[in-house]
mmCIF file of all heavy atoms in Angstrom:
data_model
loop_
_atom_site.group_PDB
_atom_site.id
_atom_site.type_symbol
_atom_site.label_atom_id
_atom_site.label_comp_id
_atom_site.label_asym_id
_atom_site.label_seq_id
_atom_site.Cartn_x
_atom_site.Cartn_y
_atom_site.Cartn_z
ATOM 1 N N SER A 1 0.856 -1.184 0.000
ATOM 2 C CA SER A 1 0.000 0.000 0.000
ATOM 3 C C SER A 1 0.888 1.229 0.000
ATOM 4 O O SER A 1 2.102 1.132 0.126
ATOM 5 C CB SER A 1 -0.935 -0.006 1.215
ATOM 6 O OG SER A 1 -0.175 0.040 2.403
ATOM 7 N N GLY A 2 0.257 2.377 -0.136
ATOM 8 C CA GLY A 2 0.989 3.630 -0.063
ATOM 9 C C GLY A 2 1.525 4.128 -1.391
ATOM 10 O O GLY A 2 2.203 5.149 -1.428
ATOM 11 N N LEU A 3 1.253 3.429 -2.480
ATOM 12 C CA LEU A 3 1.696 3.897 -3.789
ATOM 13 C C LEU A 3 0.702 4.932 -4.296
ATOM 14 O O LEU A 3 -0.498 4.690 -4.304
ATOM 15 C CB LEU A 3 1.805 2.723 -4.762
ATOM 16 C CG LEU A 3 2.820 1.647 -4.368
ATOM 17 C CD1 LEU A 3 2.665 0.430 -5.256
ATOM 18 C CD2 LEU A 3 4.224 2.198 -4.462
ATOM 19 N N SER A 4 1.193 6.064 -4.731
ATOM 20 C CA SER A 4 0.285 7.147 -5.124
ATOM 21 C C SER A 4 -0.041 7.104 -6.615
ATOM 22 O O SER A 4 0.711 6.556 -7.423
ATOM 23 C CB SER A 4 0.899 8.499 -4.768
ATOM 24 O OG SER A 4 2.108 8.669 -5.478
ATOM 25 N N GLY A 5 -1.194 7.677 -6.942
ATOM 26 C CA GLY A 5 -1.621 7.802 -8.337
ATOM 27 C C GLY A 5 -1.678 6.453 -9.039
ATOM 28 O O GLY A 5 -2.198 5.482 -8.507
ATOM 29 N N SER A 6 -1.105 6.415 -10.232
ATOM 30 C CA SER A 6 -1.109 5.197 -11.042
ATOM 31 C C SER A 6 0.122 4.332 -10.817
ATOM 32 O O SER A 6 0.321 3.348 -11.536
ATOM 33 C CB SER A 6 -1.207 5.571 -12.523
ATOM 34 O OG SER A 6 -2.430 6.213 -12.784
ATOM 35 N N SER A 7 0.945 4.668 -9.835
ATOM 36 C CA SER A 7 2.172 3.897 -9.629
ATOM 37 C C SER A 7 1.879 2.448 -9.246
ATOM 38 O O SER A 7 2.624 1.543 -9.602
ATOM 39 C CB SER A 7 3.075 4.560 -8.587
ATOM 40 O OG SER A 7 2.420 4.675 -7.350
ATOM 41 N N GLY A 8 0.776 2.207 -8.544
ATOM 42 C CA GLY A 8 0.401 0.838 -8.213
ATOM 43 C C GLY A 8 0.075 0.032 -9.463
ATOM 44 O O GLY A 8 0.464 -1.135 -9.592
ATOM 45 N N ALA A 9 -0.623 0.654 -10.399
ATOM 46 C CA ALA A 9 -0.960 -0.022 -11.653
ATOM 47 C C ALA A 9 0.296 -0.297 -12.473
ATOM 48 O O ALA A 9 0.405 -1.344 -13.120
ATOM 49 C CB ALA A 9 -1.955 0.816 -12.453
ATOM 50 N N VAL A 10 1.256 0.616 -12.443
ATOM 51 C CA VAL A 10 2.533 0.395 -13.135
ATOM 52 C C VAL A 10 3.224 -0.825 -12.543
ATOM 53 O O VAL A 10 3.719 -1.693 -13.258
ATOM 54 C CB VAL A 10 3.443 1.644 -13.047
ATOM 55 C CG1 VAL A 10 4.853 1.336 -13.540
ATOM 56 C CG2 VAL A 10 2.838 2.795 -13.834
ATOM 57 N N MET A 11 3.223 -0.909 -11.217
ATOM 58 C CA MET A 11 3.861 -2.032 -10.549
ATOM 59 C C MET A 11 3.187 -3.357 -10.933
ATOM 60 O O MET A 11 3.857 -4.329 -11.281
ATOM 61 C CB MET A 11 3.796 -1.850 -9.033
ATOM 62 C CG MET A 11 4.377 -3.007 -8.255
ATOM 63 S SD MET A 11 3.970 -2.943 -6.495
ATOM 64 C CE MET A 11 2.202 -3.178 -6.544
ATOM 65 N N VAL A 12 1.868 -3.417 -10.890
ATOM 66 C CA VAL A 12 1.146 -4.650 -11.226
ATOM 67 C C VAL A 12 1.371 -5.019 -12.686
ATOM 68 O O VAL A 12 1.608 -6.191 -13.016
ATOM 69 C CB VAL A 12 -0.356 -4.516 -10.903
ATOM 70 C CG1 VAL A 12 -1.141 -5.700 -11.442
ATOM 71 C CG2 VAL A 12 -0.565 -4.374 -9.399
ATOM 72 N N ALA A 13 1.322 -4.040 -13.589
ATOM 73 C CA ALA A 13 1.555 -4.318 -15.015
ATOM 74 C C ALA A 13 2.956 -4.868 -15.229
ATOM 75 O O ALA A 13 3.160 -5.829 -15.988
ATOM 76 C CB ALA A 13 1.342 -3.045 -15.841
ATOM 77 N N TRP A 14 3.949 -4.281 -14.568
ATOM 78 C CA TRP A 14 5.327 -4.747 -14.698
ATOM 79 C C TRP A 14 5.474 -6.170 -14.166
ATOM 80 O O TRP A 14 6.109 -7.012 -14.793
ATOM 81 C CB TRP A 14 6.268 -3.784 -13.964
ATOM 82 C CG TRP A 14 7.698 -4.186 -14.040
ATOM 83 C CD1 TRP A 14 8.547 -4.013 -15.104
ATOM 84 C CD2 TRP A 14 8.466 -4.839 -13.022
ATOM 85 N NE1 TRP A 14 9.792 -4.512 -14.803
ATOM 86 C CE2 TRP A 14 9.761 -5.031 -13.527
ATOM 87 C CE3 TRP A 14 8.172 -5.265 -11.736
ATOM 88 C CZ2 TRP A 14 10.774 -5.635 -12.796
ATOM 89 C CZ3 TRP A 14 9.172 -5.870 -10.996
ATOM 90 C CH2 TRP A 14 10.454 -6.048 -11.527
ATOM 91 N N LEU A 15 4.877 -6.448 -13.011
ATOM 92 C CA LEU A 15 4.948 -7.790 -12.437
ATOM 93 C C LEU A 15 4.271 -8.826 -13.346
ATOM 94 O O LEU A 15 4.781 -9.926 -13.523
ATOM 95 C CB LEU A 15 4.308 -7.817 -11.047
ATOM 96 C CG LEU A 15 5.113 -7.163 -9.933
ATOM 97 C CD1 LEU A 15 4.258 -7.021 -8.677
ATOM 98 C CD2 LEU A 15 6.389 -7.937 -9.640
ATOM 99 N N ALA A 16 3.139 -8.462 -13.916
ATOM 100 C CA ALA A 16 2.422 -9.390 -14.805
ATOM 101 C C ALA A 16 3.240 -9.697 -16.053
ATOM 102 O O ALA A 16 3.224 -10.828 -16.555
ATOM 103 C CB ALA A 16 1.058 -8.816 -15.173
ATOM 104 N N GLU A 17 3.971 -8.701 -16.555
ATOM 105 C CA GLU A 17 4.838 -8.921 -17.715
ATOM 106 C C GLU A 17 6.032 -9.795 -17.337
ATOM 107 O O GLU A 17 6.448 -10.664 -18.087
ATOM 108 C CB GLU A 17 5.339 -7.582 -18.275
ATOM 109 C CG GLU A 17 4.263 -6.668 -18.802
ATOM 110 C CD GLU A 17 3.693 -7.112 -20.129
ATOM 111 O OE1 GLU A 17 4.407 -7.785 -20.897
ATOM 112 O OE2 GLU A 17 2.520 -6.779 -20.381
ATOM 113 N N ARG A 18 6.573 -9.567 -16.176
ATOM 114 C CA ARG A 18 7.783 -10.267 -15.735
ATOM 115 C C ARG A 18 7.512 -11.701 -15.280
ATOM 116 O O ARG A 18 8.365 -12.568 -15.409
ATOM 117 C CB ARG A 18 8.446 -9.479 -14.609
ATOM 118 C CG ARG A 18 9.743 -10.103 -14.152
ATOM 119 C CD ARG A 18 10.499 -9.171 -13.256
ATOM 120 N NE ARG A 18 11.618 -9.867 -12.691
ATOM 121 C CZ ARG A 18 12.883 -9.561 -12.926
ATOM 122 N NH1 ARG A 18 13.168 -8.567 -13.725
ATOM 123 N NH2 ARG A 18 13.842 -10.243 -12.361
ATOM 124 N N PHE A 19 6.334 -11.951 -14.730
ATOM 125 C CA PHE A 19 5.986 -13.273 -14.202
ATOM 126 C C PHE A 19 4.729 -13.803 -14.898
ATOM 127 O O PHE A 19 3.633 -13.785 -14.327
ATOM 128 C CB PHE A 19 5.770 -13.200 -12.684
ATOM 129 C CG PHE A 19 6.996 -12.794 -11.930
ATOM 130 C CD1 PHE A 19 7.178 -11.478 -11.540
ATOM 131 C CD2 PHE A 19 7.977 -13.726 -11.628
ATOM 132 C CE1 PHE A 19 8.319 -11.090 -10.852
ATOM 133 C CE2 PHE A 19 9.121 -13.349 -10.938
ATOM 134 C CZ PHE A 19 9.296 -12.026 -10.553
ATOM 135 N N PRO A 20 4.870 -14.304 -16.111
ATOM 136 C CA PRO A 20 3.696 -14.719 -16.896
ATOM 137 C C PRO A 20 2.957 -15.928 -16.327
ATOM 138 O O PRO A 20 1.830 -16.196 -16.720
ATOM 139 C CB PRO A 20 4.287 -15.034 -18.276
ATOM 140 C CG PRO A 20 5.722 -15.297 -18.040
ATOM 141 C CD PRO A 20 6.119 -14.473 -16.846
ATOM 142 N N GLN A 21 3.556 -16.650 -15.408
ATOM 143 C CA GLN A 21 2.913 -17.829 -14.837
ATOM 144 C C GLN A 21 1.992 -17.473 -13.665
ATOM 145 O O GLN A 21 1.280 -18.324 -13.159
ATOM 146 C CB GLN A 21 3.962 -18.861 -14.400
ATOM 147 C CG GLN A 21 4.734 -18.486 -13.150
ATOM 148 C CD GLN A 21 5.863 -17.476 -13.346
ATOM 149 O OE1 GLN A 21 6.000 -16.853 -14.386
ATOM 150 N NE2 GLN A 21 6.672 -17.303 -12.315
ATOM 151 N N ARG A 22 1.995 -16.229 -13.226
ATOM 152 C CA ARG A 22 1.226 -15.822 -12.049
ATOM 153 C C ARG A 22 -0.032 -15.050 -12.423
ATOM 154 O O ARG A 22 -0.102 -14.412 -13.456
ATOM 155 C CB ARG A 22 2.073 -14.953 -11.133
ATOM 156 C CG ARG A 22 3.199 -15.717 -10.482
ATOM 157 C CD ARG A 22 3.856 -14.873 -9.438
ATOM 158 N NE ARG A 22 4.925 -15.598 -8.782
ATOM 159 C CZ ARG A 22 5.185 -15.506 -7.506
ATOM 160 N NH1 ARG A 22 4.470 -14.706 -6.741
ATOM 161 N NH2 ARG A 22 6.170 -16.189 -6.974
ATOM 162 N N ILE A 23 -0.989 -15.106 -11.511
ATOM 163 C CA ILE A 23 -2.197 -14.291 -11.610
ATOM 164 C C ILE A 23 -2.096 -13.229 -10.520
ATOM 165 O O ILE A 23 -1.738 -13.539 -9.375
ATOM 166 C CB ILE A 23 -3.469 -15.133 -11.410
ATOM 167 C CG1 ILE A 23 -3.590 -16.159 -12.535
ATOM 168 C CG2 ILE A 23 -4.705 -14.251 -11.336
ATOM 169 C CD1 ILE A 23 -4.704 -17.161 -12.331
ATOM 170 N N PHE A 24 -2.419 -11.999 -10.854
ATOM 171 C CA PHE A 24 -2.343 -10.897 -9.903
ATOM 172 C C PHE A 24 -3.751 -10.391 -9.606
ATOM 173 O O PHE A 24 -4.555 -10.228 -10.519
ATOM 174 C CB PHE A 24 -1.461 -9.770 -10.451
ATOM 175 C CG PHE A 24 -0.031 -10.202 -10.585
ATOM 176 C CD1 PHE A 24 0.419 -10.798 -11.753
ATOM 177 C CD2 PHE A 24 0.849 -10.058 -9.531
ATOM 178 C CE1 PHE A 24 1.730 -11.233 -11.869
ATOM 179 C CE2 PHE A 24 2.153 -10.490 -9.636
ATOM 180 C CZ PHE A 24 2.601 -11.074 -10.809
ATOM 181 N N ILE A 25 -4.022 -10.152 -8.325
ATOM 182 C CA ILE A 25 -5.330 -9.669 -7.901
ATOM 183 C C ILE A 25 -5.151 -8.325 -7.216
ATOM 184 O O ILE A 25 -4.342 -8.187 -6.297
ATOM 185 C CB ILE A 25 -5.997 -10.662 -6.934
ATOM 186 C CG1 ILE A 25 -6.150 -12.031 -7.608
ATOM 187 C CG2 ILE A 25 -7.360 -10.128 -6.467
ATOM 188 C CD1 ILE A 25 -6.596 -13.123 -6.679
ATOM 189 N N VAL A 26 -5.905 -7.348 -7.691
ATOM 190 C CA VAL A 26 -5.908 -6.010 -7.094
ATOM 191 C C VAL A 26 -7.237 -5.863 -6.370
ATOM 192 O O VAL A 26 -8.303 -6.005 -6.982
ATOM 193 C CB VAL A 26 -5.769 -4.919 -8.179
ATOM 194 C CG1 VAL A 26 -5.920 -3.535 -7.558
ATOM 195 C CG2 VAL A 26 -4.458 -5.059 -8.917
ATOM 196 N N ILE A 27 -7.178 -5.586 -5.077
ATOM 197 C CA ILE A 27 -8.392 -5.393 -4.284
ATOM 198 C C ILE A 27 -8.483 -3.916 -3.925
ATOM 199 O O ILE A 27 -7.688 -3.411 -3.129
ATOM 200 C CB ILE A 27 -8.395 -6.277 -3.030
ATOM 201 C CG1 ILE A 27 -8.283 -7.752 -3.445
ATOM 202 C CG2 ILE A 27 -9.662 -6.027 -2.207
ATOM 203 C CD1 ILE A 27 -8.164 -8.713 -2.296
ATOM 204 N N ALA A 28 -9.443 -3.255 -4.525
ATOM 205 C CA ALA A 28 -9.645 -1.823 -4.302
ATOM 206 C C ALA A 28 -10.666 -1.602 -3.198
ATOM 207 O O ALA A 28 -11.487 -2.477 -2.900
ATOM 208 C CB ALA A 28 -10.129 -1.172 -5.599
ATOM 209 N N ALA A 29 -10.626 -0.440 -2.603
ATOM 210 C CA ALA A 29 -11.539 -0.122 -1.502
ATOM 211 C C ALA A 29 -12.963 0.149 -1.990
ATOM 212 O O ALA A 29 -13.928 -0.202 -1.315
ATOM 213 C CB ALA A 29 -11.017 1.082 -0.725
ATOM 214 N N THR A 30 -13.096 0.771 -3.154
ATOM 215 C CA THR A 30 -14.414 1.168 -3.653
ATOM 216 C C THR A 30 -14.570 0.772 -5.122
ATOM 217 O O THR A 30 -13.565 0.574 -5.821
ATOM 218 C CB THR A 30 -14.601 2.688 -3.559
ATOM 219 O OG1 THR A 30 -13.664 3.317 -4.453
ATOM 220 C CG2 THR A 30 -14.402 3.203 -2.143
ATOM 221 N N PRO A 31 -15.809 0.713 -5.624
ATOM 222 C CA PRO A 31 -16.008 0.445 -7.047
ATOM 223 C C PRO A 31 -15.339 1.495 -7.949
ATOM 224 O O PRO A 31 -14.768 1.150 -8.988
ATOM 225 C CB PRO A 31 -17.525 0.462 -7.214
ATOM 226 C CG PRO A 31 -18.051 0.071 -5.876
ATOM 227 C CD PRO A 31 -17.079 0.694 -4.891
ATOM 228 N N ALA A 32 -15.378 2.740 -7.552
ATOM 229 C CA ALA A 32 -14.744 3.792 -8.357
ATOM 230 C C ALA A 32 -13.231 3.580 -8.432
ATOM 231 O O ALA A 32 -12.621 3.754 -9.499
ATOM 232 C CB ALA A 32 -15.059 5.171 -7.780
ATOM 233 N N GLU A 33 -12.636 3.201 -7.318
ATOM 234 C CA GLU A 33 -11.200 2.927 -7.311
ATOM 235 C C GLU A 33 -10.871 1.704 -8.173
ATOM 236 O O GLU A 33 -9.873 1.685 -8.896
ATOM 237 C CB GLU A 33 -10.713 2.719 -5.875
ATOM 238 C CG GLU A 33 -9.215 2.604 -5.753
ATOM 239 C CD GLU A 33 -8.758 2.396 -4.321
ATOM 240 O OE1 GLU A 33 -9.449 2.814 -3.381
ATOM 241 O OE2 GLU A 33 -7.683 1.787 -4.152
ATOM 242 N N ALA A 34 -11.718 0.687 -8.128
ATOM 243 C CA ALA A 34 -11.511 -0.502 -8.959
ATOM 244 C C ALA A 34 -11.588 -0.138 -10.445
ATOM 245 O O ALA A 34 -10.786 -0.624 -11.257
ATOM 246 C CB ALA A 34 -12.540 -1.574 -8.618
ATOM 247 N N GLU A 35 -12.523 0.702 -10.800
ATOM 248 C CA GLU A 35 -12.644 1.154 -12.203
ATOM 249 C C GLU A 35 -11.399 1.933 -12.630
ATOM 250 O O GLU A 35 -10.928 1.802 -13.756
ATOM 251 C CB GLU A 35 -13.891 2.022 -12.380
ATOM 252 C CG GLU A 35 -15.195 1.273 -12.256
ATOM 253 C CD GLU A 35 -15.537 0.415 -13.466
ATOM 254 O OE1 GLU A 35 -14.865 0.522 -14.510
ATOM 255 O OE2 GLU A 35 -16.494 -0.369 -13.354
ATOM 256 N N ARG A 36 -10.838 2.745 -11.717
ATOM 257 C CA ARG A 36 -9.618 3.486 -12.034
ATOM 258 C C ARG A 36 -8.460 2.532 -12.270
ATOM 259 O O ARG A 36 -7.696 2.676 -13.222
ATOM 260 C CB ARG A 36 -9.268 4.468 -10.906
ATOM 261 C CG ARG A 36 -8.022 5.311 -11.214
ATOM 262 C CD ARG A 36 -7.529 6.088 -10.009
ATOM 263 N NE ARG A 36 -7.210 5.291 -8.853
ATOM 264 C CZ ARG A 36 -6.058 4.597 -8.703
ATOM 265 N NH1 ARG A 36 -5.141 4.589 -9.644
ATOM 266 N NH2 ARG A 36 -5.838 3.914 -7.590
ATOM 267 N N TRP A 37 -8.328 1.520 -11.403
ATOM 268 C CA TRP A 37 -7.280 0.513 -11.581
ATOM 269 C C TRP A 37 -7.429 -0.174 -12.940
ATOM 270 O O TRP A 37 -6.450 -0.357 -13.657
ATOM 271 C CB TRP A 37 -7.365 -0.538 -10.479
ATOM 272 C CG TRP A 37 -6.604 -0.210 -9.240
ATOM 273 C CD1 TRP A 37 -7.065 0.445 -8.133
ATOM 274 C CD2 TRP A 37 -5.241 -0.534 -8.960
ATOM 275 N NE1 TRP A 37 -6.065 0.540 -7.198
ATOM 276 C CE2 TRP A 37 -4.943 -0.058 -7.673
ATOM 277 C CE3 TRP A 37 -4.249 -1.200 -9.686
ATOM 278 C CZ2 TRP A 37 -3.688 -0.218 -7.086
ATOM 279 C CZ3 TRP A 37 -3.003 -1.360 -9.098
ATOM 280 C CH2 TRP A 37 -2.734 -0.868 -7.824
ATOM 281 N N LEU A 38 -8.654 -0.555 -13.277
ATOM 282 C CA LEU A 38 -8.895 -1.243 -14.539
ATOM 283 C C LEU A 38 -8.521 -0.362 -15.722
ATOM 284 O O LEU A 38 -7.864 -0.819 -16.661
ATOM 285 C CB LEU A 38 -10.361 -1.685 -14.633
ATOM 286 C CG LEU A 38 -10.732 -2.486 -15.874
ATOM 287 C CD1 LEU A 38 -10.027 -3.834 -15.875
ATOM 288 C CD2 LEU A 38 -12.242 -2.667 -15.949
ATOM 289 N N ALA A 39 -8.905 0.902 -15.673
ATOM 290 C CA ALA A 39 -8.570 1.836 -16.755
ATOM 291 C C ALA A 39 -7.057 1.999 -16.883
ATOM 292 O O ALA A 39 -6.508 1.953 -18.002
ATOM 293 C CB ALA A 39 -9.237 3.189 -16.504
ATOM 294 N N ASP A 40 -6.366 2.169 -15.772
ATOM 295 C CA ASP A 40 -4.907 2.315 -15.805
ATOM 296 C C ASP A 40 -4.239 1.060 -16.363
ATOM 297 O O ASP A 40 -3.350 1.130 -17.211
ATOM 298 C CB ASP A 40 -4.351 2.614 -14.413
ATOM 299 C CG ASP A 40 -4.667 4.013 -13.919
ATOM 300 O OD1 ASP A 40 -5.136 4.848 -14.724
ATOM 301 O OD2 ASP A 40 -4.440 4.269 -12.722
ATOM 302 N N LEU A 41 -4.657 -0.096 -15.880
ATOM 303 C CA LEU A 41 -4.036 -1.354 -16.320
ATOM 304 C C LEU A 41 -4.299 -1.631 -17.797
ATOM 305 O O LEU A 41 -3.439 -2.177 -18.492
ATOM 306 C CB LEU A 41 -4.525 -2.514 -15.454
ATOM 307 C CG LEU A 41 -3.935 -2.528 -14.048
ATOM 308 C CD1 LEU A 41 -4.736 -3.454 -13.139
ATOM 309 C CD2 LEU A 41 -2.465 -2.942 -14.088
ATOM 310 N N THR A 42 -5.462 -1.248 -18.281
ATOM 311 C CA THR A 42 -5.782 -1.445 -19.693
ATOM 312 C C THR A 42 -4.826 -0.655 -20.589
ATOM 313 O O THR A 42 -4.460 -1.108 -21.669
ATOM 314 C CB THR A 42 -7.244 -1.040 -19.962
ATOM 315 O OG1 THR A 42 -8.096 -1.845 -19.146
ATOM 316 C CG2 THR A 42 -7.622 -1.230 -21.409
ATOM 317 N N ILE A 43 -4.394 0.493 -20.125
ATOM 318 C CA ILE A 43 -3.447 1.317 -20.886
ATOM 319 C C ILE A 43 -2.021 0.794 -20.728
ATOM 320 O O ILE A 43 -1.237 0.815 -21.675
ATOM 321 C CB ILE A 43 -3.531 2.790 -20.425
ATOM 322 C CG1 ILE A 43 -4.875 3.382 -20.839
ATOM 323 C CG2 ILE A 43 -2.380 3.617 -20.988
ATOM 324 C CD1 ILE A 43 -5.171 4.727 -20.239
ATOM 325 N N LEU A 44 -1.692 0.293 -19.562
ATOM 326 C CA LEU A 44 -0.306 -0.071 -19.252
ATOM 327 C C LEU A 44 0.119 -1.458 -19.737
ATOM 328 O O LEU A 44 1.309 -1.709 -19.896
ATOM 329 C CB LEU A 44 -0.073 0.008 -17.740
ATOM 330 C CG LEU A 44 -0.057 1.411 -17.160
ATOM 331 C CD1 LEU A 44 -0.197 1.372 -15.647
ATOM 332 C CD2 LEU A 44 1.219 2.125 -17.572
ATOM 333 N N THR A 45 -0.826 -2.374 -19.948
ATOM 334 C CA THR A 45 -0.435 -3.739 -20.292
ATOM 335 C C THR A 45 -1.408 -4.370 -21.277
ATOM 336 O O THR A 45 -2.579 -4.001 -21.327
ATOM 337 C CB THR A 45 -0.323 -4.621 -19.024
ATOM 338 O OG1 THR A 45 0.156 -5.903 -19.396
ATOM 339 C CG2 THR A 45 -1.640 -4.751 -18.302
ATOM 340 N N ASP A 46 -0.883 -5.324 -22.016
ATOM 341 C CA ASP A 46 -1.706 -6.118 -22.929
ATOM 342 C C ASP A 46 -2.166 -7.412 -22.270
ATOM 343 O O ASP A 46 -2.851 -8.217 -22.896
ATOM 344 C CB ASP A 46 -0.914 -6.458 -24.200
ATOM 345 C CG ASP A 46 -0.593 -5.227 -25.016
ATOM 346 O OD1 ASP A 46 -1.367 -4.262 -24.962
ATOM 347 O OD2 ASP A 46 0.440 -5.240 -25.710
#
């Protein structure tokens, strides 16, 4: 925790690229925050 802005999404996208055998789960506090994570990740990773 404690990562500001989209830095958390950058971290998850990088980890997903680096470790293709793993599944990553992001648990957001609110639906709006979850939608923001999804939007960021959609831009950052394929």
Side-chain angles (χ1 to χ4, degrees):
S1 62
L3 298 170
S4 62
S6 296
S7 60
V10 170
M11 177 193 66
V12 171
W14 180 78
L15 286 169
E17 297 286 333
R18 183 168 172 115
F19 297 98
Q21 73 281 11
R22 292 189 179 218
I23 296 172
F24 294 89
I25 301 171
V26 174
I27 301 175
T30 65
E33 187 180 333
E35 291 285 350
R36 182 191 57 79
W37 272 92
L38 183 66
D40 288 349
L41 287 164
T42 301
I43 292 170
L44 290 165
T45 184
D46 294 331

